[in-house]
Amino acid sequence: MGLVDFFKNKVKHSQKSPKLNYSTNGTSISIGEFTGEYHQSSKGRFILAWKSSGDNGKYILLDRGKIKLQAKMRHPDNGMVSNSGVFLLSDLTSKGMYGVFHVINSDGETLIKQRCRANLGSAGISDDGRFAVCQSLESTSKSDSCRLFFFDIKNKKLLWKKVPETIGSELNWAKSYRFDTKRKVLYLIHDKNRTYRYTFEGTFLDSKLYRHDCINSGNDIEFLEALNGLKSELSESTDPQEYVDLIVPLEKGLKRFSDRDTRSKIHRVLGEISLLQGNNAEAIKHFETALKLNPRVGVKRTLEKLKKTG
């Protein structure tokens, strides 16, 4: 059965198709007259290839070099295939902010079909083909914008969707995902290989690590968001070592950022840490500097009280 024959119908699969000659170049694959993007399963058995051409996109699943399945899809993208042959594709429609996330097995059965009122970004599937994740992008939909969707493929259901804590106001999407199916942990992998964990139930496990990374190496917006989160958590019951661990990156922030408002907020937090450590003299210095940089930084009354008590 030839390549053209397959595309005459919506979906076809064959166990008896001949082994094909194909070539790859970077992220591109050529199979006869078909050229598109591809992904290969980690053990190498399966290759998923796809291309988007107007509203006439196509995809092909190869099993040990033979065509196992192929079909049409309007705008296939972000494809991945697992070691079991279960694969995912996002159909990025031409009708504005709207996408459809598909999970399909090697027999052509659709296991998951999630419509989303937003364009779709990065996606991932576990090596065993039992779990999948996809990220929707920003849209006007309150329920679907910026959501991370997590699926149980075996039971054909959406387990949860949420705005991930790690995107921040700058919309820093995860670039890829890793699944630990034994421990039931999902890893979100961001730029600079920053990695954060969620449970398969959707609980974020690395809030302190994320905050530390934003303070230590984030841009000014990430830095200030992390500072706001830190201020709400500072208390006399906090482990003193946490203060010590934070002082160095905060002081580095004074060197990294020149904006007066940002610097004033850093001095405010350093002053609050000094106050909680019982170092009133150091707290006064930081609060005075914060006020000079920004009279509205919010420490005037605290500073006056400190000076009165000596």
Side-chain angles (χ1 to χ4, degrees):
M1 185 175 291
L3 202 62
V4 175
D5 294 327
F6 270 109
F7 284 125
K8 288 181 179 178
N9 296 312
K10 188 176 180 181
V11 178
K12 280 200 174 183
H13 52 89
S14 174
Q15 299 286 357
K16 299 179 181 180
S17 62
K19 193 167 185 178
L20 300 174
N21 290 323
Y22 61 87
S23 61
T24 60
N25 181 14
T27 60
S28 177
I29 187 170
S30 295
I31 309 170
E33 297 180 358
F34 176 99
T35 299
E37 298 178 77
Y38 81 100
H39 176 263
Q40 188 166 18
S41 60
S42 61
K43 291 184 177 179
R45 174 177 171 177
F46 294 97
I47 291 177
L48 176 66
W50 67 93
K51 73 172 182 178
S52 181
S53 177
D55 283 337
N56 298 304
K58 308 170 183 177
Y59 66 84
I60 301 172
L61 179 67
L62 300 182
D63 182 357
R64 296 190 176 95
K66 298 180 180 181
I67 292 178
K68 172 70 173 175
L69 172 73
Q70 74 181 16
K72 296 180 180 181
M73 183 178 287
R74 285 189 176 183
H75 300 280
D77 199 8
N78 298 329
M80 291 191 75
V81 61
S82 69
N83 291 323
S84 67
V86 174
F87 62 92
L88 60 83
L89 281 166
S90 297
D91 188 1
L92 309 181
T93 71
S94 58
K95 298 178 181 178
M97 291 184 176
Y98 191 87
V100 184
F101 181 71
H102 299 264
V103 179
I104 303 168
N105 67 19
S106 59
D107 292 323
E109 178 189 1
T110 297
L111 306 176
I112 301 287
K113 186 175 182 179
Q114 179 72 42
R115 287 178 167 79
C116 185
R117 287 168 290 183
N119 288 327
L120 298 175
S122 58
I125 190 168
S126 61
D127 283 341
D128 61 8
R130 294 182 60 191
F131 299 94
V133 64
C134 74
Q135 174 70 60
S136 68
L137 305 184
E138 187 176 22
S139 77
T140 56
S141 169
K142 292 182 179 180
S143 61
D144 285 350
S145 178
C146 302
R147 292 315 196 261
L148 186 68
F149 294 75
F150 188 78
F151 301 92
D152 178 346
I153 298 173
K154 183 179 179 181
N155 292 304
K156 302 180 182 181
K157 65 180 181 180
L158 173 67
L159 291 182
W160 50 266
K161 69 174 182 177
K162 64 184 296 186
V163 178
E165 289 83 348
T166 58
I167 66 170
S169 62
E170 289 290 273
L171 303 182
N172 296 313
W173 317 110
K175 303 299 182 183
S176 61
Y177 307 90
R178 182 164 58 86
F179 300 78
D180 185 336
T181 54
K182 291 184 178 180
R183 294 182 175 87
K184 295 186 177 180
V185 173
L186 171 68
Y187 293 82
L188 276 62
I189 304 170
H190 288 254
D191 284 333
K192 302 177 184 177
N193 208 33
R194 294 194 296 182
T195 303
Y196 308 106
R197 300 170 299 157
Y198 282 82
T199 67
F200 279 13
E201 290 75 36
T203 302
F204 186 39
L205 299 175
D206 289 321
S207 57
K208 287 185 178 180
L209 173 62
Y210 176 68
R211 183 183 66 197
H212 180 272
D213 285 347
C214 288
I215 291 175
N216 198 46
S217 60
N219 60 35
D220 57 344
I221 295 176
E222 291 175 325
F223 187 91
L224 290 175
E225 286 179 345
L227 274 189
N228 288 333
L230 173 63
K231 283 197 303 180
S232 67
E233 295 180 16
L234 288 177
S235 70
E236 294 179 359
S237 62
T238 303
D239 182 350
Q241 185 59 42
E242 287 194 41
Y243 296 142
V244 176
D245 294 341
L246 283 167
I247 288 173
V248 172
L250 286 171
E251 290 177 340
K252 286 182 179 178
L254 290 173
K255 298 178 181 179
R256 288 170 54 208
F257 304 114
S258 59
D259 178 72
R260 291 175 66 87
D261 183 56
T262 300
R263 292 172 61 82
S264 71
K265 290 175 180 177
I266 295 173
H267 278 291
R268 171 177 174 166
V269 174
L270 284 169
E272 290 170 344
I273 289 175
S274 297
L275 191 60
L276 289 168
Q277 289 177 316
N279 190 342
N280 289 4
E282 190 70 15
I284 288 172
K285 289 180 183 179
H286 283 298
F287 290 152
E288 286 180 335
T289 304
L291 274 175
K292 288 179 183 178
L293 291 167
N294 179 6
R296 292 184 164 185
V297 72
V299 297
K300 187 175 180 179
R301 291 183 180 177
T302 303
L303 179 60
E304 290 173 349
K305 185 177 180 181
L306 274 174
K307 287 183 174 180
K308 286 179 181 180
T309 58

Coordinates of all heavy atoms in Angstrom, one line a residue, residues 138-198:
E138 N -2.1 32.3 26.4 CA -3.0 33.3 26.9 C -4.1 33.5 25.9 O -3.9 33.6 24.6 CB -2.2 34.6 27.0 CG -3.0 35.7 27.7 CD -2.1 36.9 28.0 OE1 -1.1 37.1 27.3 OE2 -2.5 37.7 28.9
S139 N -5.3 33.7 26.4 CA -6.5 34.0 25.5 C -7.5 34.7 26.3 O -7.3 35.0 27.5 CB -7.1 32.6 25.0 OG -7.9 32.0 26.0
T140 N -8.6 35.0 25.7 CA -9.7 35.8 26.4 C -10.6 34.8 27.2 O -11.5 35.3 27.9 CB -10.6 36.5 25.3 OG1 -11.1 35.5 24.4 CG2 -9.8 37.5 24.6
S141 N -10.4 33.5 27.1 CA -11.2 32.6 27.9 C -10.7 32.5 29.3 O -9.6 32.2 29.6 CB -11.1 31.2 27.2 OG -11.7 30.2 28.1
K142 N -11.6 32.8 30.3 CA -11.2 32.8 31.7 C -10.9 31.3 32.1 O -10.1 31.1 33.0 CB -12.4 33.4 32.5 CG -12.5 34.9 32.3 CD -13.6 35.4 33.3 CE -13.8 36.9 33.1 NZ -14.9 37.5 34.0
S143 N -11.6 30.4 31.5 CA -11.4 29.0 32.0 C -10.3 28.3 31.3 O -9.8 27.3 31.9 CB -12.7 28.2 31.8 OG -13.0 28.2 30.4
D144 N -9.9 28.7 30.1 CA -8.8 28.0 29.4 C -7.5 28.7 29.2 O -6.5 28.1 28.9 CB -9.3 27.6 28.0 CG -10.3 26.4 28.1 OD1 -10.5 25.8 29.2 OD2 -11.0 26.2 27.1
S145 N -7.5 30.0 29.5 CA -6.3 30.8 29.2 C -5.2 30.4 30.2 O -5.4 30.3 31.4 CB -6.6 32.3 29.4 OG -5.4 33.1 29.3
C146 N -4.0 30.1 29.7 CA -2.8 29.9 30.4 C -2.9 28.7 31.3 O -2.2 28.6 32.4 CB -2.4 31.1 31.3 SG -2.1 32.6 30.4
R147 N -3.7 27.7 31.0 CA -3.9 26.5 31.8 C -2.9 25.4 31.4 O -2.7 25.1 30.2 CB -5.3 26.0 31.7 CG -6.4 26.9 32.3 CD -6.1 27.4 33.6 NE -7.3 28.0 34.3 CZ -7.6 29.2 34.4 NH1 -6.9 30.1 33.7 NH2 -8.6 29.7 35.1
L148 N -2.5 24.7 32.4 CA -1.7 23.4 32.2 C -2.7 22.3 32.4 O -3.4 22.2 33.5 CB -0.6 23.3 33.2 CG 0.4 22.1 33.1 CD1 1.2 22.3 31.8 CD2 1.3 22.0 34.3
F149 N -2.9 21.4 31.4 CA -3.8 20.3 31.4 C -3.0 19.0 31.7 O -2.0 18.8 31.0 CB -4.6 20.2 30.1 CG -5.5 21.3 29.7 CD1 -5.0 22.5 29.3 CD2 -6.9 21.1 29.8 CE1 -5.8 23.6 29.0 CE2 -7.7 22.2 29.5 CZ -7.2 23.4 29.1
F150 N -3.5 18.2 32.6 CA -2.8 16.9 32.9 C -3.8 15.8 32.7 O -4.9 15.8 33.4 CB -2.3 17.0 34.3 CG -1.4 15.8 34.6 CD1 -0.1 15.7 34.2 CD2 -1.9 14.7 35.4 CE1 0.7 14.6 34.5 CE2 -1.1 13.6 35.7 CZ 0.2 13.6 35.2
F151 N -3.4 14.8 31.9 CA -4.4 13.7 31.5 C -3.9 12.4 32.0 O -2.7 12.0 32.0 CB -4.5 13.7 30.0 CG -5.0 14.9 29.4 CD1 -4.1 15.9 29.0 CD2 -6.4 15.2 29.3 CE1 -4.6 17.1 28.4 CE2 -6.9 16.3 28.7 CZ -6.0 17.3 28.3
D152 N -4.8 11.5 32.4 CA -4.6 10.1 32.6 C -5.1 9.4 31.4 O -6.3 9.2 31.1 CB -5.5 9.7 33.9 CG -5.4 8.2 34.1 OD1 -4.9 7.4 33.3 OD2 -5.8 7.8 35.2
I153 N -4.2 9.0 30.5 CA -4.5 8.5 29.2 C -5.2 7.1 29.4 O -6.1 6.8 28.7 CB -3.3 8.3 28.3 CG1 -2.7 9.7 28.1 CG2 -3.6 7.7 27.0 CD1 -1.4 9.7 27.3
K154 N -4.6 6.3 30.3 CA -5.2 4.9 30.5 C -6.6 5.0 30.8 O -7.4 4.2 30.3 CB -4.4 4.2 31.6 CG -4.8 2.8 31.8 CD -4.0 2.1 32.9 CE -4.5 0.7 33.2 NZ -3.7 0.0 34.3
N155 N -7.1 5.9 31.6 CA -8.5 6.0 32.0 C -9.2 7.1 31.2 O -10.4 7.4 31.5 CB -8.6 6.3 33.5 CG -8.1 5.1 34.4 OD1 -8.6 4.0 34.2 ND2 -7.1 5.4 35.2
K156 N -8.5 7.6 30.2 CA -9.2 8.6 29.2 C -9.9 9.7 29.9 O -11.0 10.0 29.6 CB -10.2 7.8 28.4 CG -9.6 6.6 27.6 CD -10.6 6.0 26.7 CE -10.0 4.8 26.0 NZ -11.0 4.1 25.1
K157 N -9.1 10.4 30.8 CA -9.8 11.5 31.5 C -8.8 12.6 31.8 O -7.6 12.4 32.0 CB -10.5 11.1 32.7 CG -9.6 10.5 33.8 CD -10.5 10.1 35.0 CE -9.7 9.6 36.2 NZ -10.5 9.2 37.3
L158 N -9.3 13.8 31.9 CA -8.5 15.0 32.4 C -8.5 14.9 33.9 O -9.5 14.9 34.6 CB -9.2 16.3 31.9 CG -8.6 17.6 32.5 CD1 -7.2 17.8 32.0 CD2 -9.5 18.8 32.1
L159 N -7.3 14.9 34.5 CA -7.2 14.9 36.0 C -7.3 16.3 36.6 O -7.9 16.4 37.6 CB -5.8 14.2 36.4 CG -5.7 12.7 36.1 CD1 -4.4 12.2 36.6 CD2 -6.9 11.9 36.7
W160 N -6.6 17.2 36.0 CA -6.7 18.6 36.5 C -6.2 19.6 35.4 O -5.5 19.2 34.5 CB -5.9 18.8 37.8 CG -4.5 18.3 37.8 CD1 -4.1 17.0 38.2 CD2 -3.3 19.0 37.4 NE1 -2.7 16.9 38.1 CE2 -2.2 18.1 37.6 CE3 -3.1 20.2 36.8 CZ2 -0.9 18.4 37.3 CZ3 -1.7 20.6 36.5 CH2 -0.7 19.7 36.7
K161 N -6.6 20.8 35.6 CA -6.0 21.9 34.8 C -5.9 23.1 35.7 O -6.8 23.4 36.6 CB -6.9 22.3 33.6 CG -8.2 22.9 33.9 CD -8.9 23.3 32.5 CE -10.2 24.0 32.7 NZ -10.9 24.4 31.5
K162 N -4.8 23.9 35.6 CA -4.6 25.0 36.5 C -3.6 26.0 35.8 O -2.8 25.6 34.9 CB -4.0 24.6 37.8 CG -2.7 23.9 37.7 CD -2.2 23.3 39.1 CE -2.0 24.4 40.1 NZ -1.4 23.9 41.3
V163 N -3.5 27.2 36.3 CA -2.5 28.1 35.8 C -1.2 27.8 36.7 O -1.2 27.8 37.9 CB -2.9 29.6 36.1 CG1 -1.7 30.5 35.7 CG2 -4.1 30.0 35.4
P164 N -0.2 27.3 36.0 CA 1.0 26.9 36.8 C 1.7 28.1 37.5 O 1.8 29.1 36.9 CB 1.9 26.2 35.7 CG 1.5 26.8 34.4 CD 0.0 27.1 34.6
E165 N 2.1 27.8 38.7 CA 2.7 28.9 39.5 C 4.0 29.4 38.8 O 4.5 30.5 39.1 CB 3.0 28.4 40.9 CG 1.8 28.2 41.8 CD 1.1 26.9 41.6 OE1 1.4 26.2 40.6 OE2 0.3 26.6 42.4
T166 N 4.6 28.6 38.0 CA 5.9 28.9 37.4 C 5.9 29.8 36.2 O 7.0 30.2 35.7 CB 6.7 27.6 37.0 OG1 5.9 26.9 36.1 CG2 6.9 26.7 38.3
I167 N 4.8 30.2 35.7 CA 4.8 31.0 34.5 C 4.9 32.5 34.9 O 5.5 33.3 34.1 CB 3.6 30.8 33.6 CG1 2.3 31.3 34.3 CG2 3.5 29.4 33.1 CD1 1.1 31.3 33.3
G168 N 4.5 32.9 36.0 CA 4.6 34.3 36.4 C 3.8 35.2 35.5 O 3.2 34.8 34.6
S169 N 3.9 36.5 35.8 CA 3.2 37.5 34.9 C 3.9 37.7 33.6 O 3.3 38.2 32.6 CB 3.2 38.9 35.6 OG 4.5 39.4 35.8
E170 N 5.1 37.2 33.4 CA 5.8 37.3 32.1 C 5.5 36.1 31.2 O 6.0 36.0 30.1 CB 7.3 37.3 32.4 CG 7.8 38.6 33.0 CD 7.8 39.7 32.1 OE1 8.7 40.0 31.3 OE2 6.8 40.5 32.1
L171 N 4.6 35.2 31.7 CA 4.2 34.0 30.9 C 5.4 33.2 30.4 O 5.6 33.0 29.2 CB 3.4 34.5 29.7 CG 2.1 35.3 30.0 CD1 1.3 35.6 28.8 CD2 1.2 34.5 31.0
N172 N 6.2 32.8 31.3 CA 7.4 32.0 31.0 C 7.0 30.5 31.0 O 7.0 29.8 32.0 CB 8.5 32.2 32.1 CG 9.0 33.6 32.0 OD1 9.3 34.2 31.0 ND2 9.1 34.2 33.2
W173 N 6.6 30.0 29.8 CA 6.1 28.7 29.7 C 7.2 27.6 29.9 O 8.3 27.9 29.5 CB 5.5 28.4 28.3 CG 4.6 29.6 27.8 CD1 4.9 30.4 26.8 CD2 3.3 30.0 28.3 NE1 3.9 31.3 26.6 CE2 2.9 31.1 27.5 CE3 2.5 29.5 29.3 CZ2 1.7 31.7 27.8 CZ3 1.3 30.1 29.5 CH2 0.9 31.2 28.8
A174 N 6.8 26.5 30.4 CA 7.8 25.4 30.4 C 8.1 25.0 28.9 O 7.3 25.0 28.1 CB 7.2 24.2 31.1
K175 N 9.4 24.6 28.7 CA 9.8 24.2 27.4 C 9.6 22.7 27.1 O 9.3 22.3 26.0 CB 11.3 24.5 27.2 CG 11.7 26.0 27.4 CD 10.9 26.9 26.4 CE 11.3 28.3 26.6 NZ 10.6 29.3 25.8
S176 N 9.6 21.9 28.2 CA 9.4 20.5 28.0 C 9.0 19.9 29.4 O 9.0 20.6 30.4 CB 10.7 19.8 27.5 OG 11.8 20.0 28.4
Y177 N 8.7 18.6 29.4 CA 8.2 17.9 30.6 C 8.8 16.6 30.7 O 9.3 15.9 29.8 CB 6.7 17.8 30.5 CG 6.0 19.1 30.2 CD1 5.7 19.4 28.9 CD2 5.6 19.9 31.2 CE1 5.1 20.6 28.6 CE2 4.9 21.1 30.9 CZ 4.7 21.5 29.6 OH 4.1 22.7 29.3
R178 N 8.9 16.1 32.0 CA 9.4 14.8 32.3 C 8.5 14.1 33.3 O 8.0 14.8 34.2 CB 10.8 14.8 32.8 CG 11.5 13.5 33.1 CD 13.0 13.6 33.2 NE 13.4 14.5 34.2 CZ 13.6 14.2 35.5 NH1 13.3 12.9 35.9 NH2 14.0 15.0 36.4
F179 N 8.2 12.8 33.2 CA 7.3 12.1 34.0 C 8.0 11.1 34.8 O 8.7 10.2 34.3 CB 6.2 11.4 33.2 CG 5.4 12.4 32.4 CD1 5.8 12.9 31.2 CD2 4.1 12.7 32.8 CE1 5.1 13.7 30.4 CE2 3.3 13.6 32.0 CZ 3.8 14.1 30.8
D180 N 7.8 11.1 36.1 CA 8.3 10.0 37.0 C 7.0 9.2 37.4 O 6.3 9.6 38.4 CB 9.0 10.5 38.2 CG 9.6 9.4 39.1 OD1 9.1 8.3 39.0 OD2 10.6 9.7 39.8
T181 N 6.7 8.2 36.7 CA 5.4 7.5 36.9 C 5.5 6.6 38.2 O 4.4 6.3 38.7 CB 5.1 6.6 35.7 OG1 6.2 5.7 35.4 CG2 4.8 7.4 34.5
K182 N 6.7 6.3 38.7 CA 6.7 5.5 39.9 C 6.4 6.4 41.1 O 5.7 6.1 42.0 CB 8.1 4.9 40.1 CG 8.4 3.8 39.1 CD 9.7 3.1 39.3 CE 10.0 2.0 38.4 NZ 11.3 1.3 38.6
R183 N 7.0 7.6 41.1 CA 6.8 8.5 42.2 C 5.6 9.4 42.0 O 5.2 10.2 42.9 CB 8.1 9.4 42.5 CG 9.2 8.6 43.0 CD 10.4 9.5 43.2 NE 11.6 8.8 43.8 CZ 12.5 8.1 43.1 NH1 12.4 8.1 41.8 NH2 13.5 7.5 43.7
K184 N 5.0 9.4 40.8 CA 3.9 10.2 40.4 C 4.2 11.7 40.5 O 3.5 12.5 41.2 CB 2.7 9.8 41.2 CG 2.2 8.4 40.9 CD 0.9 8.1 41.6 CE 0.4 6.7 41.2 NZ -0.9 6.4 41.9
V185 N 5.3 12.1 39.8 CA 5.8 13.4 39.8 C 6.0 13.9 38.4 O 6.6 13.2 37.6 CB 7.1 13.6 40.6 CG1 7.7 15.0 40.5 CG2 6.9 13.2 42.1
L186 N 5.5 15.1 38.1 CA 5.6 15.7 36.8 C 6.7 16.9 36.9 O 6.6 17.7 37.9 CB 4.3 16.3 36.3 CG 4.3 17.2 35.1 CD1 4.7 16.4 33.8 CD2 3.0 18.0 34.9
Y187 N 7.6 16.9 36.0 CA 8.7 17.9 36.1 C 8.4 18.9 34.9 O 8.3 18.5 33.8 CB 10.1 17.3 35.9 CG 10.5 16.4 37.0 CD1 10.1 15.1 37.1 CD2 11.3 16.9 38.0 CE1 10.5 14.2 38.2 CE2 11.7 16.1 39.1 CZ 11.3 14.8 39.2 OH 11.7 14.0 40.2
L188 N 8.4 20.2 35.3 CA 8.3 21.2 34.3 C 9.7 21.8 34.1 O 10.3 22.3 35.0 CB 7.4 22.4 34.7 CG 5.9 22.2 34.4 CD1 5.3 20.9 35.2 CD2 5.1 23.4 34.8
I189 N 10.2 21.8 32.8 CA 11.6 22.2 32.6 C 11.5 23.5 31.8 O 11.0 23.6 30.7 CB 12.3 21.1 31.7 CG1 12.3 19.8 32.5 CG2 13.8 21.6 31.5 CD1 12.8 18.6 31.7
H190 N 12.1 24.6 32.4 CA 12.1 25.9 31.8 C 13.4 26.3 31.3 O 14.4 25.5 31.2 CB 11.7 26.9 33.0 CG 10.2 26.8 33.4 ND1 9.3 27.8 33.0 CD2 9.6 25.9 34.1 CE1 8.1 27.5 33.5 NE2 8.3 26.3 34.2
D191 N 13.5 27.5 30.8 CA 14.8 28.1 30.3 C 15.9 27.9 31.4 O 15.6 27.9 32.6 CB 14.7 29.5 29.9 CG 14.0 29.7 28.6 OD1 14.1 28.8 27.8 OD2 13.4 30.8 28.4
K192 N 17.1 27.8 31.0 CA 18.3 27.7 31.8 C 18.2 26.4 32.6 O 18.8 26.2 33.7 CB 18.4 28.9 32.8 CG 18.6 30.2 32.1 CD 18.6 31.4 33.1 CE 18.7 32.7 32.4 NZ 18.7 33.8 33.3
N193 N 17.4 25.4 32.1 CA 17.2 24.1 32.7 C 16.6 24.2 34.2 O 16.8 23.3 35.0 CB 18.6 23.3 32.8 CG 18.3 21.8 32.7 OD1 17.4 21.4 32.1 ND2 19.2 21.1 33.4
R194 N 15.9 25.3 34.5 CA 15.3 25.4 35.7 C 14.1 24.4 35.7 O 13.2 24.4 34.9 CB 14.8 26.8 36.0 CG 15.9 27.8 36.2 CD 15.4 29.1 36.7 NE 14.5 29.8 35.9 CZ 14.0 31.0 36.2 NH1 14.3 31.6 37.3 NH2 13.1 31.6 35.3
T195 N 14.0 23.5 36.8 CA 13.1 22.4 36.8 C 12.3 22.5 38.1 O 12.8 22.6 39.2 CB 13.8 21.1 36.7 OG1 14.6 21.1 35.5 CG2 12.8 19.9 36.6
Y196 N 11.0 22.3 37.9 CA 10.1 22.4 39.1 C 9.1 21.2 39.0 O 8.7 20.8 38.0 CB 9.3 23.7 39.1 CG 10.3 24.9 39.0 CD1 10.3 25.6 37.8 CD2 11.1 25.2 40.1 CE1 11.2 26.7 37.7 CE2 12.0 26.3 40.0 CZ 12.0 27.0 38.8 OH 12.9 28.0 38.7
R197 N 8.7 20.7 40.2 CA 7.9 19.5 40.3 C 6.4 19.8 40.7 O 6.1 20.6 41.6 CB 8.5 18.6 41.4 CG 9.9 18.1 41.1 CD 10.5 17.4 42.3 NE 10.5 18.4 43.5 CZ 10.5 18.0 44.8 NH1 10.5 16.7 45.1 NH2 10.6 18.9 45.7
Y198 N 5.5 19.0 40.1 CA 4.1 18.9 40.5 C 3.8 17.4 40.8 O 4.3 16.5 40.1 CB 3.2 19.4 39.4 CG 3.1 20.9 39.3 CD1 4.1 21.6 38.6 CD2 2.0 21.6 39.9 CE1 4.0 23.0 38.5 CE2 1.9 23.0 39.8 CZ 2.9 23.7 39.1 OH 2.8 25.0 39.0

